[in-house]
Amino acid sequence: MTVTTGMSSPRGVWWKPAHRSEKIWFAVAFAWCMVLFAMMPLWHLRGGQNPTGIRARVEPADFRDRTNEFIASYQVDEIDGMPVVEPPPGSDVYLMAMMWQWRPILRLQRGAEYTLHLSSVDVNHGFNLYPFNVNFQVVPGYDYGLQITPTEAGDFRIVCNEFCGIGHHLMVGRVIVVDGGDS
Ligand SMILES: [Cu+2]
């Protein structure tokens, strides 16, 4: 019995040109690799998943102050101790994520445009507007000003989809979209 090592060639005819079907398979696989490769930059530009509007640094304490000022300016109601805020169409809206709540409850008009400022004052949270496929990472230290226009009236929930501690499952916020008045 001969022992074959990496130092000597294997015996017999071990190398043959690839079969036609193997070449076709290789060409198809390579072409598909190129498609996937091209999709990375293409999807970044055309995918529609990039945040709209601005992103800026913000100190968590400053964001908390802005949110409190926003609440003080436009509060219309209170549900279970949580302020309900109805800002005028076109205005800047503040939503603060913290362990374990979304503050405040927002009341928005259908069809109106708002700039939604999202930030966290402690750890990472995930903004998921249920039941829609809207997902956004809410990172402390950053103020995301998203251009939003509610297209459906209803009483919606914001679910935190980034595990943020023992009360994560209780972190449910609320957005109420009402049909615009006679304006
Ligand atoms: Cu959370």
Side-chain angles (χ1 to χ4, degrees), residues 98-100 102 123-126 160-164 168 171:
M98 59 196 286
M99 291 187 275
W100 294 279
W102 298 95
V123 299
N124 267 34
H125 296 281
C160 180
N161 64 3
E162 184 70 45
F163 183 74
C164 57
H168 167 66
M171 188 167 166

Side-chain angles (χ1 to χ4, degrees), residues 3 5 21 23 27 36 52 67 69 74 82 84 113 115 118 137 141-142 146 159 161 167 177-178:
V3 178
T5 71
S21 56
K23 283 181 185 165
L36 295 179
T52 55
T67 305
E69 203 182 303
Y74 303 120
M82 181 64 81
V84 180
E113 199 177 289
T115 303
L118 274 174
Q137 275 287 325
Y142 286 95
L146 307 175
V159 179
N161 64 3
V177 180
V178 293

Side-chain angles (χ1 to χ4, degrees), residues 27-100:
V28 168
F30 183 75
W32 185 239
C33 282
M34 290 295 109
V35 169
L36 295 179
F37 182 65
M39 283 306 280
M40 287 191 280
L42 205 71
W43 203 248
H44 173 76
L45 297 170
R46 303 296 304 276
Q49 80 281 31
N50 299 324
T52 55
I54 55 121
R55 186 187 69 185
R57 300 287 319 214
V58 67
E59 285 299 317
D62 293 340
F63 193 83
R64 184 191 297 266
D65 289 346
R66 285 178 212 172
T67 305
N68 286 337
E69 203 182 303
F70 167 72
I71 293 169
S73 306
Y74 303 120
Q75 180 168 359
V76 291
D77 200 356
E78 191 175 293
I79 299 174
D80 294 333
M82 181 64 81
V84 180
V85 178
E86 185 167 1
S91 63
D92 289 86
V93 175
Y94 289 84
L95 184 64
M96 180 170 79
M98 59 196 286
M99 291 187 275
W100 294 279

Side-chain angles (χ1 to χ4, degrees), residues 8 17 29 44 47-48 52 56 58 63 73 83 86 95 105 121-122 129 135-136 154 169 174-175 179 182:
S8 56
H44 173 76
T52 55
V58 67
F63 193 83
S73 306
E86 185 167 1
L95 184 64
I105 295 172
V121 292
D122 40 46
L129 186 64
N135 290 283
F136 201 81
H169 61 290
R174 208 164 157 186
V175 178
D179 271 309
D182 43 338

